[in-house]
Amino acid sequence: MPVSEPIITLTTDFGMSDAYVGEMKGVILNHCPGARLVDISHQIPPQDVLSGSIVLERILRVFPAGTIHIVVVDPGVGTSRRLLVGQANDQWIFVPDNGLITWAWHRIGNIRVQELLFRPVKTPSWTFHGRDILAPAAALLASGQGESVPTIRLDRPVLLNVAPAGSLDEAQVIHIDHFGNVITNVPVELLSNDTYVLGVGPIRNTYSDVKIGEPLALIGSSGLLEIAVRNQHAASQLNLTVGSKIQFRQS
Amino acid sequence: MPVSEPIITLTTDFGMSDAYVGEMKGVILNHCPGARLVDISHQIPPQDVLSGSIVLERILRVFPAGTIHIVVVDPGVGTSRRLLVGQANDQWIFVPDNGLITWAWHRIGNIRVQELLFRPVKTPSWTFHGRDILAPAAALLASGQGESVPTIRLDRPVLLNVAPAGSLDEAQVIHIDHFGNVITNVPVELLSNDTYVLGVGPIRNTYSDVKIGEPLALIGSSGLLEIAVRNQHAASQLNLTVGSKIQFRQS
Amino acid sequence: MPVSEPIITLTTDFGMSDAYVGEMKGVILNHCPGARLVDISHQIPPQDVLSGSIVLERILRVFPAGTIHIVVVDPGVGTSRRLLVGQANDQWIFVPDNGLITWAWHRIGNIRVQELLFRPVKTPSWTFHGRDILAPAAALLASGQGESVPTIRLDRPVLLNVAPAGSLDEAQVIHIDHFGNVITNVPVELLSNDTYVLGVGPIRNTYSDVKIGEPLALIGSSGLLEIAVRNQHAASQLNLTVGSKIQFRQS
């Protein structure tokens, strides 16, 4: 930092039918004309901090060093909740301090967090800190003006009450994806050749290991146990939602 | 203009399940290889010119000078409706002349409009002027070939029959956002400490000034009166839609 | 190839509520820091290869030479289905070999296809070849390291059992767009001044040639016969879906 064309990613629950995402982009380009904007998702379910947290963890694994990620899922906007600047995997994170950092905290670790004290000269709106604080702060950092983005060390960020399972007894559903695949909090390290998911079966390699319409368990693309139904919507078929417990038979 | 990497934004009602948005992007990059494309929204409700107009006004407030905005919500494509080139806040606007410029016209002002006479060498399709006229015209301008984009002065663009309220008697709902927040046409200048929205309450600072599930009135992030229900969908809860009248008690 | 800032487009059925699209973008930027990412669509209906195929054909007509297109609609991920690299219109295509190339094969032609043998050093996941094989392969090619992307000549790609009509007897619906317009497989070459679509009427120029709410037939923006209802959702009104036969009266 600074680089001439820094990457700034955007993840929000704003949807794409309003101007909100566009306004954040405009503010960023105003403060950092060379920024390369990358849309991650603007379809995080409204106010679903856990979903935003999971997305953040996944993209931190793959983006280049120096990337700046802004994630705005912010039901507490306008309250006294803090704003955070984090550093993980040589990347930067700008988020409300409401648990958005949870999944990366547990799965990536070595995250340094600070409270973001930056406030723009003009009084920010009470309802859109993404546009009025996070976007300009991230863009100033990206453009090499990090000295104008004051922060202060923070002991510990807010964390959600959801974590990777330490044993199979803690297994639960943490996310349903666009295809209806069911993602659990069970990391691959807890799985063995003997693991058998009750009502589903043993751990398979991939969807085609079962017939169309049949359920299967497999290790998903982020290293967590997933439950799918081949070419169908597993969550609906198996009646699973976020928070559902998963049970096992260890043979 | 020209700059080496001009910003061109795209706002449409095309959705993202077809190739239409992608085709516009390809045409732009063909005519202006250095263009930096910025998606604003492709989820404007089909043929909803007012929504497109409100989005355009909001992004004109934040993008850098020189930005080119293309907005395509065009129920009259193929009719004799004109195409417009506008200039506002040192930015450029390419739109059908069907009212898309309305909200910027009233709220930003100082907009210079011209009729776009540019037509490509190959006959454009009758149904996709966004791809065949607006995109290449904007890209030619962006690439420094503005002389090949003929225009002619226009007395007055088409304006929708919706405007910022001049008094509280004219207050109405103009937009429901992704969260269900209700945006009105009442600018902050009409509000005072005494303003009280019937059925809602006085003007608050932010959502957390009321309990979860309770309605509140506040000044939204674009300087208009908004009505919300904390952490819920206000439009559904309060049975408000675009066009609903808002009433006040001035104490 | 290589160019300093190659264009890489993305078309998927991933939706935008998960991290999947963002992960592909991160991988690409890691392997090709100068890549310019262009979102085409991530709302291809899940596992709808025909829709993805039609989008690919349309964007191949308009993007600049050297563009790299990645299209991931991949119900067979993890099976033995091959991966393809194609070249058409001086552009590159990275896709699963499941029929995604069908529509371009028939309508654009002169497509050279090879099987992609590239596999990353780290074992790729069984369920996300878009991120783990196609994205890095495309990015390596884009960054001038094509020699590290091994391929082998392929006799013939997998093609879907849908093709442009050779005569009006083969006319059928191939796509319903976001507005409800009905796109058929009938190319403009089969149409004449006498063509009359049963239940719809003669070929018109544009929507405004009929009254609001009335059906019409017209030549769509990709040169195929379309059936629309002015300012309404034709597919619903006329009860047409993908696969429906279209009949004509030749007067």
Side-chain angles (χ1 to χ4, degrees), chain B residues 74-184:
Chain B
D74 195 11
V77 63
T79 67
S80 59
R81 68 93 187 80
R82 295 171 300 203
L83 296 170
L84 283 194
V85 183
Q87 284 172 275
N89 274 3
D90 293 321
Q91 298 163 58
W92 297 82
I93 302 161
F94 285 79
V95 288
D97 183 22
N98 60 9
L100 276 171
I101 213 150
T102 301
W103 209 246
W105 186 266
H106 290 303
R107 295 263 293 162
I108 293 182
N110 280 320
I111 301 185
R112 185 173 161 232
V113 289
Q114 301 195 275
E115 183 177 354
L116 175 65
L117 303 180
F118 171 83
R119 295 297 179 273
V121 177
K122 201 181 139 199
T123 308
S125 80
W126 287 89
T127 57
F128 199 176
H129 288 178
R131 178 191 70 186
D132 294 339
I133 304 178
L134 294 173
L140 285 169
L141 180 73
S143 66
Q145 302 171 65
E147 74 284 354
S148 59
V149 182
T151 60
I152 190 169
R153 188 165 177 72
L154 198 64
D155 279 344
R156 186 184 166 82
V158 170
L159 295 176
L160 298 172
N161 192 20
V162 179
S167 75
L168 293 182
D169 294 340
E170 300 167 26
Q172 60 172 300
V173 175
I174 57 165
H175 184 65
I176 309 294
D177 81 6
H178 177 68
F179 298 96
N181 297 320
V182 174
I183 290 90
T184 76

Side-chain angles (χ1 to χ4, degrees), chain B residues 16 18 20 23 25 30 35, chain C residues 36 39 41 58 62 175 177:
Chain B
M16 283 294 277
D18 300 300
Y20 303 142
E23 290 176 80
K25 292 177 177 180
N30 242 313
Chain C
R36 300 163 69 199
D39 287 308
S41 168
R58 291 186 69 130
V62 290
H175 184 65
D177 81 6

Side-chain angles (χ1 to χ4, degrees), chain B residues 5-28:
Chain B
E5 296 201 326
I7 297 167
I8 301 181
T9 83
L10 294 170
T11 305
T12 75
D13 64 349
F14 294 169
M16 283 294 277
S17 54
D18 300 300
Y20 303 142
V21 171
E23 290 176 80
M24 286 186 65
K25 292 177 177 180
V27 167
I28 291 169

Side-chain angles (χ1 to χ4, degrees), chain A residues 77-114:
Chain A
V77 64
T79 67
S80 59
R81 68 93 185 83
R82 295 172 301 205
L83 296 170
L84 284 194
V85 183
Q87 284 172 274
N89 274 3
D90 295 320
Q91 297 163 59
W92 296 83
I93 302 163
F94 285 79
V95 288
D97 183 22
N98 60 9
L100 276 172
I101 213 150
T102 300
W103 210 246
W105 186 267
H106 291 303
R107 295 262 293 163
I108 292 182
N110 281 319
I111 300 186
R112 186 173 160 231
V113 289
Q114 301 196 275

